[in-house]
Amino acid sequence: MSELVGIDTGGTFTDFILYKNGLFVSYKIPSTPHAPEQAIVAGLKHLNIELEQAHFVHGTTVATNALLEGKGAKTAFVTNQGLKDLLHIGRQSRSQLYSLCPQRDRQLVAPALCFELEGRLQADGSQLAPITDQQLQALKNKLDAEGV
């Protein structure tokens, strides 16, 4: 059986989880923000992973943290048609549940930078409605105009 490797590149640590021969092995190494690939390569060497036989899943909290902290580039939210307000919909779990004038949390992305595309997938992953080249070009033009 091939090896399964999960990697999470964070701002402080890079975490690994290896599944091989029915066993899980975890490993943590300090991240190298200036060159994230260095921590990844070091972790893979430490775990002695056979690269040709491995399947990888990689995620990162670096981009998520930059968004939450308000750092980094101007950001847009692109989603399916009908979901543009997803980031701005109020939820029941709020810090001032009974306040008549609650203070809203800082918005991750301004409403003017939320865009929709018509593409849709079915539950089995097959395409229900494609995203067209014209839609992508129009989105690119909007993003360029907003400086995203």
Side-chain angles (χ1 to χ4, degrees):
M1 177 183 174
S2 63
E3 299 171 346
L4 302 175
V5 183
I7 305 168
D8 174 28
T9 304
T12 305
F13 291 101
T14 298
D15 299 292
F16 299 82
I17 186 85
L18 167 65
Y19 180 76
K20 182 177 180 180
N21 299 326
L23 299 173
F24 287 98
V25 176
S26 63
Y27 181 63
K28 181 182 286 276
I29 187 171
S31 291
T32 50
H34 61 284
E37 72 281 1
Q38 291 177 359
I40 293 172
V41 169
L44 295 175
K45 285 181 181 178
H46 174 84
L47 291 169
N48 196 26
I49 293 172
E50 299 175 36
L51 298 178
E52 298 80 20
Q53 300 299 317
H55 294 278
F56 294 91
V57 177
H58 178 256
T60 179
T61 56
V62 173
T64 304
N65 290 343
L67 181 64
L68 292 174
E69 295 167 2
K71 298 177 181 175
K74 188 174 182 180
T75 302
F77 175 63
V78 179
T79 187
N80 292 98
Q81 191 171 29
L83 300 175
K84 184 169 95 169
D85 296 324
L86 188 67
L87 296 179
H88 307 102
I89 295 172
R91 296 286 185 234
Q92 187 64 22
S93 59
R94 53 191 186 269
S95 61
Q96 302 167 0
L97 186 58
Y98 300 107
S99 174
L100 296 177
C101 301
Q103 297 294 316
R104 293 195 57 115
D105 293 334
R106 183 182 63 81
Q107 296 179 344
L108 296 177
V109 177
L113 294 177
C114 295
F115 303 98
E116 298 173 316
L117 291 175
E118 296 178 18
R120 291 270 193 220
L121 298 178
Q122 296 191 63
D124 65 1
S126 61
Q127 196 173 70
L128 181 64
I131 297 174
T132 66
D133 288 342
Q134 293 82 6
Q135 290 173 24
L136 291 174
Q137 185 60 52
L139 174 64
K140 180 189 179 305
N141 293 343
K142 289 176 187 176
L143 296 174
D144 287 346
E146 292 291 343
V148 175

